[in-house]
């Protein structure tokens, strides 16, 4: 039983639930309502079964990514979070790498099946995601900005992959949510790098706060926060023109105001617990942003 609990902690099950929730909301609240009646008669169309399998593949590939990240991060985690270590402490490294390859293979096989039913972009991109997760853990995570951008791109892909599978007129919504996921994930990655500076510096990682310093990293994250807030204000302005009052109010209260609070708290943060709190709140804003899809169903 202890091993099972350790495995679920290793694959970051709350993050996997977040991925599944994001894709489910995008499929049922945006894709399905926007499909034309003739869509079901097409020889290759995105059925509920295809969606479920694609979501399962996304979860498997992400889980494998978390495992391989912990596999290569043993030394760093001994400094940054010794109490939360799973690999080597509870699960042996050889078992961790075996789990990684099994889950990765399952995810890619499912992706291949979905590709035959929808678009071959799915399997090509998921193979690329698998490679990026591997090289992120071995190389890019220790490089300036490249690791942050890779994780942000992969976060955005959880939305875009549904667009490429469905291939319908929801492009603007796919870009909207993928862009939101990319920017807010990039901000969180930088904040996490500041939080984990001690362990990263000990093992010669070239993360942004180590190379540029904490003040410059906070400015970088702050600028992206301002950009995100500004873009959201513009989007809400157009939403008001369409009469989308409910979603405008929701996004202002649950997304924009918390982002403004995060900007202020990031500016005054000085120690690891404070940065950890900012990172946690960013994740909650990611959740509230994704939940806005429930309201889009009223309009699309």
């Amino acid at each position: 039983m202890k091993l099972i609990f350790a495995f679920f902690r290793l694959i970051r099950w709350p993050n996997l639930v977040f991925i599944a929730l994001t894709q489910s909301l995008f499929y049922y609240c945006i894709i399905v309502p926007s499909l034309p009646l003739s869509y079901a008669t097409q020889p290759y169309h995105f059925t509920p079964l295809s969606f479920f399998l694609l979501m399962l593949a996304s979860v498997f590939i992400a889980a494998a990514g978390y495992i391989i990240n912990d596999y290569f991060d043993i030394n760093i985690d001994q400094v940054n979070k010794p109490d939360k270590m799973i690999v080597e402490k509870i699960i042996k490294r050889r078992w961790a790498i075996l789990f990684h390859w099994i889950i990765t293979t399952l995810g890619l096989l499912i992706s291949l099946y979905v590709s035959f039913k929808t678009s071959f972009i799915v399997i090509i991109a998921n193979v690329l995601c698998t490679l990026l997760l591997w090289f992120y853990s071995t190389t890019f995570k220790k490089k300036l900005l490249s690791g942050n951008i890779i994780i942000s791109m992969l976060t955005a892909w959880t939305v875009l992959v549904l667009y490429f599978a469905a291939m319908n007129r929801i492009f603007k919504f796919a870009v909207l949510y993928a862009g939101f996921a990319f920017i807010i994930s990039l901000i969180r990655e930088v904040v996490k790098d500041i939080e984990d500076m001690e362990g990263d510096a000990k093992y010669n990682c070239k993360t942004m706060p180590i190379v540029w310093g904490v003040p410059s990293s906070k400015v970088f994250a702050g600028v992206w926060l301002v950009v995100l807030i500004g873009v959201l204000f513009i989007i809400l302005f157009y939403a008001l023109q369409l009469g989308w009052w409910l979603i405008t109010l929701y996004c202002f209260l649950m997304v924009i105001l918390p982002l403004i609070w995060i900007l202020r708290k990031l500016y005054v943060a000085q120690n690891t617990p404070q940065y950890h709190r900012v990172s946690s709140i960013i994740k909650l804003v990611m959740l509230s942003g994704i939940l806005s899809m429930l309201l889009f169903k009223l309009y699309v």
Side-chain angles (χ1 to χ4, degrees):
M1 186 62 69
K2 181 180 180 181
L3 186 62
I4 294 175
F5 284 131
F7 177 77
F8 277 98
R9 286 174 56 197
L10 179 63
I11 61 175
R12 313 289 203 282
W13 69 268
N15 293 353
L16 302 184
V17 171
F18 189 87
I19 291 172
L21 176 64
T22 299
Q23 293 188 328
S24 296
L25 289 175
F26 195 78
Y27 178 73
Y28 286 107
C29 297
I30 293 180
I31 291 180
V32 172
S34 67
L35 292 174
L37 295 177
S38 60
Y39 182 75
T41 63
Q42 297 178 13
Y44 293 94
H45 62 279
F46 197 37
T47 64
L49 176 60
S50 296
F51 160 71
F52 174 78
L53 292 174
L54 181 56
M55 180 181 69
L56 193 62
S58 300
V59 168
F60 280 171
I61 290 171
Y66 288 124
I67 293 174
I68 201 63
N69 184 64
D70 280 9
Y71 178 87
F72 286 111
D73 266 7
I74 290 178
N75 292 332
I76 295 175
D77 288 345
Q78 286 176 343
V79 178
N80 288 335
K81 44 184 179 181
D83 297 335
K84 297 181 179 179
M85 287 187 62
I86 303 295
V87 177
E88 205 60 271
K89 201 171 183 180
I90 301 177
I91 298 176
K92 296 297 183 182
R93 292 189 72 187
R94 61 178 179 273
W95 284 106
I97 196 69
L98 179 62
F99 289 149
H100 164 78
W101 284 116
I102 291 174
I103 296 173
T104 297
T105 301
L106 288 173
L108 292 181
L109 287 175
I110 295 172
S111 299
L112 182 61
Y113 175 82
V114 174
S115 292
F116 280 112
K117 299 295 183 180
T118 57
S119 168
F120 274 96
I121 293 177
V122 172
I123 181 60
I124 293 171
N126 278 355
V127 168
L128 180 60
C129 289
T130 300
L131 294 173
L132 283 174
L133 285 168
W134 177 279
F135 287 113
Y136 166 80
S137 300
T138 58
T139 305
F140 293 120
K141 183 177 182 179
K142 301 176 182 179
K143 303 294 184 181
L144 175 63
L145 200 56
S146 57
N148 307 113
I149 292 176
I150 286 173
I151 292 300
S152 302
M153 289 172 56
L154 293 174
T155 304
W157 177 247
T158 60
V159 174
L160 285 177
V161 68
L162 298 180
Y163 165 75
F164 286 109
M167 289 294 184
N168 63 75
R169 62 188 180 90
I170 48 81
F171 177 74
K172 58 185 178 182
F173 295 107
V175 171
L176 171 64
Y177 280 103
F180 173 79
F182 175 85
I183 294 176
I184 200 165
S185 180
L186 180 61
I187 294 167
R188 185 168 182 264
E189 286 297 309
V190 173
V191 174
K192 284 171 60 183
D193 282 345
I194 299 175
E195 179 186 349
D196 294 338
M197 270 188 67
E198 183 181 354
D200 292 345
K202 185 175 180 180
Y203 290 96
N204 299 316
C205 297
K206 303 299 181 182
T207 59
M208 185 183 295
I210 294 173
V211 176
W212 288 0
V214 173
S216 296
S217 300
K218 290 170 70 171
V219 169
F220 178 89
V223 168
W224 278 108
L225 275 167
V226 171
V227 169
L228 182 57
I229 293 168
V231 170
L232 288 174
F233 267 121
I234 293 172
I235 292 172
L236 292 190
F237 173 78
Y238 283 103
L240 283 174
Q241 309 307 306
L242 297 172
W244 295 5
W245 291 94
L246 185 59
I247 196 167
T248 299
L249 179 63
Y250 173 88
C251 289
F252 179 75
L253 294 176
M254 302 301 294
V255 180
I256 291 180
L257 286 184
L259 286 174
I260 294 173
W261 182 90
I262 289 168
L263 182 62
R264 178 178 175 275
K265 290 298 182 181
L266 178 62
Y267 177 76
V268 299
Q270 297 293 333
N271 53 51
T272 299
Q274 290 175 333
Y275 289 119
H276 179 73
R277 185 183 182 192
V278 170
S279 175
S280 299
I281 299 301
I282 292 174
K283 198 166 186 179
L284 290 177
V285 175
M286 294 173 70
L287 176 61
S288 62
I290 295 304
L291 289 176
S292 67
M293 294 183 196
L294 290 169
L295 298 176
F296 266 116
K297 191 174 182 180
L298 299 174
Y299 305 107
V300 296

